[in-house]
Amino acid sequence: MHNIRIKTQRLLLRPLTVADAEDVFEWVSDERVAKYMVYTTYTDMEDVREWLSFTGQDTSTYNFGFERIGDGKLIGSGDIGRDEDGECWGFGYNFRYDCWGMGYATEALKAMMEYARENFGARKFHASHCEPNLASGHVMEKCGLHFVGYGEFRKLDGSCKMRSMEYEG
Ligand SMILES: CC(C)(COP(=O)(O)OP(=O)(O)OC[C@H]1O[C@@H](n2cnc3c(N)ncnc32)[C@H](O)[C@@H]1OP(=O)(O)O)[C@@H](O)C(=O)NCCC(=O)NCCS
């Protein structure tokens, strides 16, 4: 597990651990949050624990919990990591539904990108979102990426397939 901690104005980005399972379950079990994510809506806390223990061992991406500094509450999570080609960096994020629309995703993504630039020499970023998920595209644009074309989104279990919008920056 990495031990990176990044502070922004309102958030502490820090490694996720199995002890976060209950907090994480609050949003990954929410269909409104899971709808455009690659995972399917979680229904069992044990699956969240399993994911968290795997994520702690994954060395290809840096996973973060997003903790609100004001009250210490974990309100979302995300990751950033080098793509297989070794040049481009990808990222993702998701937040509790009651925390949407407050600029948290933009704040967290800017911090992860800046950290990757300064510490790992990241220069190129690539990301995508399901076509209807325009808020995510807006976050990417506010972080300096631009739309480059359409692609295909698939959930990990293949249960959903739709057009994606691809971004680079
Ligand atoms: C996508 C998500 C991470 C955005 O988080 P957030 O903290 O609400 O994002 P921010 O507040 O930083 O920015 C969202 C921007 O999109 C805009 N926006 C919101 N809904 C929108 C919509 N339907 N169409 C266009 N723009 C929209 C907001 O106004 C805001 O822009 P502004 O700051 O210029 O007003 C959050 O909605 C979420 O967790 N969704 C579920 C998981 C998910 O889909 N993750 C992304 C997968 S690619």
Side-chain angles (χ1 to χ4, degrees):
M1 190 201 304
H2 70 81
N3 59 3
I4 302 166
R5 296 168 79 84
I6 309 168
K7 243 181 166 173
T8 67
Q9 198 185 345
R10 295 177 298 169
L11 299 173
L12 171 66
L13 281 58
R14 49 92 172 155
L16 281 169
T17 74
V18 177
D20 295 314
E22 275 183 35
D23 287 335
V24 173
F25 188 71
E26 283 190 44
W27 70 81
V28 297
S29 63
D30 183 338
E31 280 178 25
R32 297 167 296 190
V33 177
K35 189 171 182 188
Y36 299 128
M37 295 295 289
V38 289
Y39 62 80
T40 39
T41 312
Y42 281 78
T43 53
D44 186 341
M45 178 85 73
E46 268 316 302
D47 293 336
V48 178
R49 288 203 181 92
E50 196 183 321
W51 175 71
L52 284 168
S53 59
F54 163 76
T55 229
Q57 293 160 25
D58 184 6
T59 51
S60 62
T61 54
Y62 300 90
N63 263 282
F64 292 99
F66 303 142
E67 197 175 297
R68 191 160 52 194
I69 291 172
D71 58 6
K73 179 125 190 96
L74 193 67
I75 61 166
S77 70
D79 59 54
I80 190 158
R82 210 185 285 270
D83 282 356
E84 276 167 18
D85 72 7
E87 259 194 54
C88 234
W89 285 67
F91 53 75
Y93 36 68
N94 58 171
F95 283 82
R96 292 169 57 104
Y97 183 72
D98 61 358
C99 294
W100 290 10
M102 298 178 200
Y104 287 128
T106 305
E107 193 168 322
L109 177 57
K110 275 188 182 161
M112 290 195 297
M113 288 174 66
E114 196 177 306
Y115 191 92
R117 281 195 188 98
E118 285 177 5
N119 295 277
F120 305 124
R123 292 287 167 266
K124 270 179 74 181
F125 295 90
H126 172 94
S128 63
H129 64 80
C130 292
E131 192 172 9
N133 195 9
L134 295 175
S136 184
H138 208 166
V139 171
M140 293 173 198
E141 282 168 357
K142 286 192 288 178
C143 292
L145 281 81
H146 58 276
F147 173 68
V148 290
Y150 292 97
E152 187 182 75
F153 166 86
R154 269 172 200 268
K155 278 204 184 270
L156 289 172
D157 69 353
S159 63
C160 168
K161 209 167 85 168
M162 71 172 85
R163 194 152 82 146
S164 65
M165 294 178 74
E166 307 285 318
Y167 289 73
E168 281 178 11

